[in-house]
Amino acid sequence: MSFNVDLTNCDREPIHIPGQIQPHGFLIVVDSDFIIRYHSENVSDFIVGLPTRLLGTPLDEVEYVLYPNEQTGYISQLITLGKNTKTFEQINPFQFELNGRDYYMIIQPVNDLYLLEFEPVTAEMSVDMQRMIGRSISEMLADKNLQNLLNNSAEQVKKVIGYDRVMIYRFAPDGHGEVIAEAKNHDLEPWLGLHYPATDIPRQARELYKLNFTRLIADVNSIPSKIFTLADGEPQPLDLTCSQLRAVSPIHIQYLKNMEVSSSFSISLLYKKELWGLIACHNYTPRYIDYKARESSKLIGQILSSALEFRQDEENQQLQDHLFNSVEKLSKHMQRSNSIEDALNAPDANVLDVTYAKGAVLIYENNTIKFGTVPADDDLARLLEWIKTDVTDTFFCTDHLSAKYPAALAYKEVASGIIVSTISKEMGEYIIWFKPEQLQHITWAGNPEKPVEIDSNGLLNISPRKSFEAWSETVTARSESWSNEEVKAVIRLKEELTYAINQKASAIRLLNEKLKQAYEELDTFSFTISHDLKNPISVIKSYSQLLTRDASIRPEAQRVIDRIIDRADKMNYMINEVLDYSRIGRSEIDFVNVETAPMLNEIIKDLTMVYDSAKLQVTVGETPGVQGDPVMLSQVFSNLLSNAFKYSQRSDPQQVSIEGKATENGILYQIKDNGLGIDIKQLPKIFELFNRTDNVKDIEGSGVGLAIVKRIVEKHRGKIWVDSEPGKGSTFFVEFSNPV
Ligand code: ADP
């Protein structure tokens, strides 16, 4: 009895048809409870004796018709096994006999469902495939030459699946493809070398090729079988992404029909998980190949992919080594030479060698150096203007410059492709590489510009191209594309260049140091001047004092004279300080071991006598010795401690502490108070000569102490810094580095 799918009278009518499959097999979909949720309309064409209602029925109940020889529950067990081991690879395909014919069942998990796809086993394929594959592969790999490897692979696939035409089709970066190897029946015209526009294999189709490595369209003229499901609720569209039997899009069917192809089979070729190409097989009569044959050709595809990957890697490595070698040479030159320009233009390597470009320019420090073939000066100047305004990235690369900058069309023979590596945008410094136009005579299979056609109803229709006469097109204004290796080498050169420039900047810093030394010599000058000033000031003071002896002097005049004496004293004090400061600049340090404990005790003893001892809390922690000049070191501590006392005199309790400790760099002292603190904005200035903060104007001081301290500390190869918060207090840190 043959079951007829006619459930139109049923209340649970299967009206929702989420998709279709190719009719050479049939499909049953179960959920995780093994209840049938979907099935293809054509089940009854294959199986006799099915229950009248399949949808919603437990799989167990139909299993006896499917596999009369197996025990019930067998498929559920297989599914459970696959689910537990997380792979159906070991299980697929499961072979069984139905109505005297052998079938494969392929289980595919999809979300919470399991697709059970059934397809016939073909007798002609049941030869010892394993042996055949083994032989094919060794023949395939026998040749070292890449083209021969591709040709052999096409031949071997043709042998395994017996199609009329087997092509190896490679995708270009823009998505269009080219037939790069072909094995075909003699009576067919060759398609080797033909190019197909990117629209022929749209993006979503290419994504599917990455998921499913083989795809069979057994007969373009067959009528697909619908998939039924129950109409209750919102039926989920059935995801057929991984289905073996998935029906073909009508556009693709039309495309194949236009080519007079009846059956097509393709195997994905991947390079680093990306679709590199396809082994595309065409047959001019319907042709079905079973799962095992498809799997075997998939294996050939995988082996070819890895062979290609290996070869490509090897080739890329060689290219890379060659370019990196040049970068390395340039980098060495940059280290040795004082001039970056000279280094990048050495006899054994120059900028041009970093890529396979035909020309390059280096624009650096107002010089333009040209290598190889580059645009004329005017054109170059205008191109540079465009780069300055329109190229925002530090690295820019194109093989079709005129598409972005149309003026470049005028010199496409020189610069159809460019790489711009920015050294400094502010300074307008760049390295630019140029590749000439590479005239590509592409033989298109049909006119690639006309994928859209008006159909018989006058509607715009995306229909595959009907004309397959070779159509020649010349792609102008494009260069050979820049390889990853070239890009990497350019980026690497940029890194090396930046490093070298920074190093040169250090050389400038060195010059700066010398300048500083010269500056310090000026100190000597100020010393002399200050010294010479001391004398007239003491004369002013003496004469003023003489005047005060005159008893007849008026009180107002007396006050003026007192102020003169006071200012003269202040000036004298300041001159002494400046003398101190410049003395440090001039003197060489004789490093000796200095015991700091007695020195600090002495300083603190003097200071505590000046301040109110009742509220004063002085803490002295560890006081490790320091290497240096004892007099100068005493000046450092004395200045820092007296500031700590001075600027915390209004705090109650007044807390001052000092402690030192060994660090990995040397000896670190910290002098802490709970006084006025310093505003963060004024912090950097306090070490400058005569600089005083706004909050201490009413406290006596000259603003020289910290400048002296800093000078001494730096002379001792040390560092000084401060941590402070207004109103809370300050901590000065002095680190004396270990002697070298
Ligand atoms: P001064 O003779 O004014 O103390 P310094 O060179 O020793 O000169 O210090 C410069 C300025 O740094 C001081 O005028 C003061 O504004 C600030 N300063 C220094 N030490 C402290 C401190 N411990 N607490 C608050 N401010 C300080």
Tab-separated table of all heavy atoms in Angstrom, residues 639 643-644 646-647 673 676-678 686 691-693 695-696 700-707 730 732, ligand 1:
chain	number	residue	atom	x	y	z
A	639	ASN	N	67.826	72.193	54.080
A	639	ASN	CA	66.799	72.950	53.361
A	639	ASN	C	65.437	72.282	53.453
A	639	ASN	O	64.429	72.937	53.707
A	639	ASN	CB	67.173	73.068	51.884
A	639	ASN	CG	67.946	74.350	51.622
A	639	ASN	OD1	67.468	75.427	51.944
A	639	ASN	ND2	69.131	74.216	51.066
A	643	ASN	N	62.291	73.769	55.557
A	643	ASN	CA	61.007	74.049	54.900
A	643	ASN	C	59.876	73.333	55.622
A	643	ASN	O	58.812	73.902	55.847
A	643	ASN	CB	61.023	73.585	53.445
A	643	ASN	CG	61.718	74.587	52.540
A	643	ASN	OD1	62.019	75.704	52.969
A	643	ASN	ND2	61.965	74.191	51.305
A	644	ALA	N	60.120	72.037	55.965
A	644	ALA	CA	59.080	71.254	56.632
A	644	ALA	C	58.671	71.925	57.947
A	644	ALA	O	57.483	72.045	58.244
A	644	ALA	CB	59.569	69.830	56.873
A	646	LYS	N	59.237	75.147	58.706
A	646	LYS	CA	58.765	76.500	58.444
A	646	LYS	C	57.308	76.495	57.977
A	646	LYS	O	56.486	77.260	58.465
A	646	LYS	CB	59.673	77.121	57.370
A	646	LYS	CG	59.437	78.575	57.113
A	646	LYS	CD	60.621	79.230	56.382
A	646	LYS	CE	60.799	78.733	54.950
A	646	LYS	NZ	61.772	79.507	54.185
A	647	TYR	N	56.996	75.618	57.022
A	647	TYR	CA	55.665	75.668	56.423
A	647	TYR	C	54.626	74.846	57.190
A	647	TYR	O	53.509	74.681	56.729
A	647	TYR	CB	55.738	75.265	54.944
A	647	TYR	CG	56.577	76.252	54.147
A	647	TYR	CD1	57.773	75.866	53.535
A	647	TYR	CD2	56.181	77.590	54.058
A	647	TYR	CE1	58.547	76.777	52.842
A	647	TYR	CE2	56.961	78.514	53.367
A	647	TYR	CZ	58.140	78.106	52.760
A	647	TYR	OH	58.910	79.021	52.089
A	673	ASP	N	55.758	66.697	56.291
A	673	ASP	CA	55.206	67.625	57.284
A	673	ASP	C	53.692	67.681	57.148
A	673	ASP	O	53.139	67.197	56.165
A	673	ASP	CB	55.813	69.026	57.100
A	673	ASP	CG	55.412	69.659	55.790
A	673	ASP	OD1	54.223	69.924	55.596
A	673	ASP	OD2	56.307	69.866	54.919
A	676	LEU	N	51.253	73.618	55.298
A	676	LEU	CA	50.381	74.295	54.336
A	676	LEU	C	50.113	73.499	53.061
A	676	LEU	O	49.075	73.630	52.441
A	676	LEU	CB	51.029	75.630	53.922
A	676	LEU	CG	51.205	76.655	55.028
A	676	LEU	CD1	51.990	77.853	54.502
A	676	LEU	CD2	49.828	77.100	55.522
A	677	GLY	N	51.082	72.709	52.676
A	677	GLY	CA	50.937	71.962	51.422
A	677	GLY	C	51.108	72.876	50.222
A	677	GLY	O	51.243	74.103	50.367
A	678	ILE	N	51.094	72.268	49.022
A	678	ILE	CA	51.359	73.042	47.797
A	678	ILE	C	50.269	72.731	46.771
A	678	ILE	O	49.921	71.569	46.560
A	678	ILE	CB	52.750	72.680	47.209
A	678	ILE	CG1	53.832	72.883	48.276
A	678	ILE	CG2	53.067	73.504	45.963
A	678	ILE	CD1	55.086	72.100	48.021
A	686	ILE	N	58.179	74.789	41.986
A	686	ILE	CA	58.822	75.124	43.265
A	686	ILE	C	60.325	74.877	43.272
A	686	ILE	O	61.029	75.412	44.109
A	686	ILE	CB	58.169	74.392	44.467
A	686	ILE	CG1	58.229	72.893	44.258
A	686	ILE	CG2	56.751	74.864	44.693
A	686	ILE	CD1	57.872	72.131	45.514
A	691	ASN	N	61.292	80.841	42.985
A	691	ASN	CA	59.865	80.579	42.881
A	691	ASN	C	59.259	80.240	44.226
A	691	ASN	O	59.705	79.337	44.918
A	691	ASN	CB	59.633	79.426	41.901
A	691	ASN	CG	58.473	79.757	41.004
A	691	ASN	OD1	57.380	80.046	41.499
A	691	ASN	ND2	58.728	79.757	39.711
A	692	ARG	N	58.230	80.980	44.596
A	692	ARG	CA	57.552	80.734	45.865
A	692	ARG	C	56.062	80.604	45.583
A	692	ARG	O	55.550	81.249	44.679
A	692	ARG	CB	57.788	81.889	46.843
A	692	ARG	CG	59.273	82.239	47.016
A	692	ARG	CD	59.500	83.036	48.277
A	692	ARG	NE	59.284	82.229	49.455
A	692	ARG	CZ	58.740	82.681	50.583
A	692	ARG	NH1	58.344	83.938	50.663
A	692	ARG	NH2	58.570	81.885	51.620
A	693	THR	N	55.358	79.789	46.345
A	693	THR	CA	53.922	79.640	46.075
A	693	THR	C	53.156	80.795	46.717
A	693	THR	O	53.668	81.487	47.601
A	693	THR	CB	53.394	78.298	46.615
A	693	THR	OG1	53.654	78.250	48.012
A	693	THR	CG2	54.058	77.119	45.942
A	695	ASN	N	50.668	80.838	48.687
A	695	ASN	CA	50.177	80.713	50.068
A	695	ASN	C	51.257	80.950	51.130
A	695	ASN	O	50.985	80.831	52.310
A	695	ASN	CB	49.526	79.336	50.280
A	695	ASN	CG	50.494	78.197	49.997
A	695	ASN	OD1	51.523	78.405	49.336
A	695	ASN	ND2	50.196	77.008	50.482
A	696	VAL	N	52.484	81.281	50.721
A	696	VAL	CA	53.543	81.438	51.732
A	696	VAL	C	54.133	82.844	51.754
A	696	VAL	O	55.180	83.081	52.334
A	696	VAL	CB	54.689	80.410	51.518
A	696	VAL	CG1	54.151	78.993	51.576
A	696	VAL	CG2	55.417	80.659	50.194
A	700	GLU	N	58.748	84.113	55.710
A	700	GLU	CA	60.062	84.530	55.200
A	700	GLU	C	60.679	83.457	54.288
A	700	GLU	O	60.625	82.262	54.577
A	700	GLU	CB	60.977	84.774	56.414
A	700	GLU	CG	62.240	85.549	56.132
A	700	GLU	CD	61.965	86.987	55.680
A	700	GLU	OE1	60.980	87.616	56.141
A	700	GLU	OE2	62.739	87.467	54.843
A	701	GLY	N	61.282	83.882	53.201
A	701	GLY	CA	61.972	82.915	52.336
A	701	GLY	C	62.459	83.598	51.073
A	701	GLY	O	62.007	84.691	50.729
A	702	SER	N	63.393	82.934	50.359
A	702	SER	CA	63.963	83.540	49.162
A	702	SER	C	63.565	82.799	47.884
A	702	SER	O	63.737	83.305	46.782
A	702	SER	CB	65.484	83.521	49.272
A	702	SER	OG	65.936	82.172	49.253
A	703	GLY	N	63.089	81.577	48.014
A	703	GLY	CA	62.731	80.789	46.822
A	703	GLY	C	63.960	80.193	46.151
A	703	GLY	O	63.909	79.811	44.990
A	704	VAL	N	65.061	80.084	46.895
A	704	VAL	CA	66.284	79.538	46.295
A	704	VAL	C	66.578	78.130	46.833
A	704	VAL	O	67.127	77.281	46.130
A	704	VAL	CB	67.486	80.475	46.565
A	704	VAL	CG1	68.761	79.916	45.950
A	704	VAL	CG2	67.223	81.864	46.009
A	705	GLY	N	66.137	77.867	48.090
A	705	GLY	CA	66.485	76.616	48.770
A	705	GLY	C	66.248	75.362	47.931
A	705	GLY	O	67.167	74.551	47.732
A	706	LEU	N	65.043	75.228	47.406
A	706	LEU	CA	64.737	73.998	46.670
A	706	LEU	C	65.513	73.905	45.355
A	706	LEU	O	65.851	72.813	44.909
A	706	LEU	CB	63.231	73.892	46.401
A	706	LEU	CG	62.361	73.498	47.597
A	706	LEU	CD1	60.912	73.339	47.167
A	706	LEU	CD2	62.838	72.181	48.222
A	707	ALA	N	65.793	75.066	44.754
A	707	ALA	CA	66.604	75.051	43.528
A	707	ALA	C	67.992	74.506	43.845
A	707	ALA	O	68.554	73.704	43.089
A	707	ALA	CB	66.677	76.446	42.945
A	730	SER	N	53.048	68.181	53.087
A	730	SER	CA	53.857	67.799	51.931
A	730	SER	C	54.834	66.702	52.317
A	730	SER	O	55.265	66.621	53.463
A	730	SER	CB	54.695	68.981	51.440
A	730	SER	OG	53.919	70.143	51.383
A	732	PHE	N	58.437	65.368	50.719
A	732	PHE	CA	59.487	65.459	49.708
A	732	PHE	C	60.251	64.135	49.680
A	732	PHE	O	60.585	63.587	50.726
A	732	PHE	CB	60.438	66.624	50.017
A	732	PHE	CG	59.855	67.955	49.640
A	732	PHE	CD1	58.925	68.589	50.462
A	732	PHE	CD2	60.214	68.572	48.446
A	732	PHE	CE1	58.370	69.810	50.107
A	732	PHE	CE2	59.664	69.799	48.082
A	732	PHE	CZ	58.732	70.415	48.906
B	1	ADP	P1	61.773	79.328	50.374
B	1	ADP	O1	62.995	80.060	50.731
B	1	ADP	O2	60.682	80.175	49.895
B	1	ADP	O3	61.367	78.342	51.381
B	1	ADP	P2	62.399	77.095	48.724
B	1	ADP	O4	63.121	77.060	47.435
B	1	ADP	O5	62.941	76.292	49.831
B	1	ADP	O6	62.253	78.615	49.090
B	1	ADP	O7	60.933	76.654	48.441
B	1	ADP	C1	60.255	77.180	47.338
B	1	ADP	C2	58.783	77.244	47.610
B	1	ADP	O8	58.258	75.946	47.709
B	1	ADP	C3	58.438	77.841	48.945
B	1	ADP	O9	58.408	79.244	48.844
B	1	ADP	C4	57.089	77.254	49.205
B	1	ADP	O10	56.140	77.997	48.481
B	1	ADP	C5	57.214	75.912	48.670
B	1	ADP	N1	57.581	74.917	49.675
B	1	ADP	C6	58.781	74.355	49.876
B	1	ADP	N2	58.717	73.450	50.870
B	1	ADP	C7	57.449	73.421	51.306
B	1	ADP	C8	56.744	72.691	52.323
B	1	ADP	N3	57.349	71.770	53.067
B	1	ADP	N4	55.426	72.939	52.482
B	1	ADP	C9	54.792	73.857	51.706
B	1	ADP	N5	55.404	74.572	50.748
B	1	ADP	C10	56.713	74.365	50.550
